[in-house]
């Protein structure tokens, strides 16, 4: 059984999602947003770092998953996103958590079934997969989707390590 903290980094809003995964059973624990507003960048990064450290201390995840940086049209936005990612990764690393990174396409593929899914499709599938009573906020849903992607990847790796063989997208026991 693993508790996974998924993070969707942002320089103004960082989403987080926490799930417990045991085999194919996945349970929702918590999710939300770290809102940093219009503070100077150094204060925003500090807030992201400390907020995630607090969540890690409270929930004691064994795994940390985060979205990789994508190249934005605006280089300044990409740099700020990279800095927010860095603050989140250092918070996890300081707690001794292994850090796993996934592209937006991988996350959407794992949760929705297609890499080009839009935000509303991700929100809907996260709600369905975790049996949530309402649709999570977009940044929290993205973070939960990252955690779900990691859980699915762990499950696949575990099956392969147990002697399974991949053929036509399925794992078969030998």
């Amino acid at each position: 059984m693993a508790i996974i903290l998924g993070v969707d980094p942002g320089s103004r809003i960082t989403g987080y999602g926490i799930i417990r995964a045991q085999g194919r059973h996945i349970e929702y624990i918590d999710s939300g947003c770290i809102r940093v507003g219009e503070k100077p960048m150094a204060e925003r990064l500090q807030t992201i770092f400390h907020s995630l450290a607090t969540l890690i201390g409270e929930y004691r995840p064994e795994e940390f998953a985060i979205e990789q940086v994508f190249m934005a049209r605006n280089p300044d936005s990409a740099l700020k996103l990279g800095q927010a990612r860095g603050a989140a990764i250092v918070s996890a690393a300081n707690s001794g958590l292994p850090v796993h990174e996934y592209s937006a396409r991988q996350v959407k593929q794992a949760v929705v079934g297609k890499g080009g899914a839009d935000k509303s499709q991700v929100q809907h599938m996260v709600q369905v997969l975790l049996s949530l009573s309402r649709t999570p906020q977009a940044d929290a849903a993205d973070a939960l989707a990252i955690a779900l992607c990691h859980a699915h990847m762990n499950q696949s790796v575990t099956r392969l390590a147990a002697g399974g063989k991949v053929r036509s997208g399925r794992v078969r026991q030998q």
Side-chain angles (χ1 to χ4, degrees):
M1 176 167 28
I3 296 176
I4 302 166
L5 170 58
V7 174
D8 179 37
S11 64
R12 296 190 191 286
I13 301 172
T14 292
Y16 67 88
I18 305 167
I19 62 172
R20 178 178 291 116
Q22 184 171 0
R24 291 178 185 236
H25 178 72
I26 297 176
E27 174 188 351
Y28 171 85
I29 296 176
D30 193 16
S31 63
C33 296
I34 300 165
R35 297 178 189 280
V36 294
E38 297 297 324
K39 299 177 190 176
M41 193 61 178
E43 289 178 37
R44 291 188 219 171
L45 298 175
Q46 183 181 44
T47 300
I48 293 166
F49 175 88
H50 286 302
S51 297
L52 288 173
T54 299
L55 288 167
I56 291 166
E58 182 177 347
Y59 292 103
R60 304 276 184 222
E62 290 95 4
E63 303 279 339
F64 179 89
I66 191 166
E67 190 171 85
Q68 291 175 337
V69 169
F70 61 92
M71 193 54 197
R73 290 181 202 165
N74 180 340
D76 188 52
S77 295
L79 287 171
K80 288 177 182 175
L81 175 60
Q83 291 172 330
R85 277 184 85 251
I89 289 170
V90 170
S91 188
N94 274 357
S95 298
L97 293 176
V99 174
H100 305 276
E101 301 179 50
Y102 299 97
S103 70
R105 193 169 219 27
Q106 285 176 298
V107 172
K108 292 172 182 179
Q109 181 70 41
V111 175
V112 179
K114 62 180 187 176
D118 64 32
K119 280 200 176 280
S120 64
Q121 291 172 305
V122 171
Q123 285 176 286
H124 173 73
M125 286 308 298
V126 165
Q127 180 181 7
V128 169
L129 291 169
L130 294 174
S131 302
L132 303 176
S133 59
R134 59 189 165 145
T135 304
Q137 189 275 350
D139 297 288
D142 287 348
L144 287 166
I146 293 162
L148 286 165
C149 175
H150 181 65
H152 291 298
M153 294 299 280
N154 269 355
Q155 188 179 34
S156 295
V157 169
T158 300
R159 275 188 271 163
L160 287 171
K165 188 174 184 180
V166 176
R167 185 177 294 155
S168 302
R170 292 187 180 160
V171 175
R172 296 178 183 221
Q173 294 297 324
Q174 294 188 36

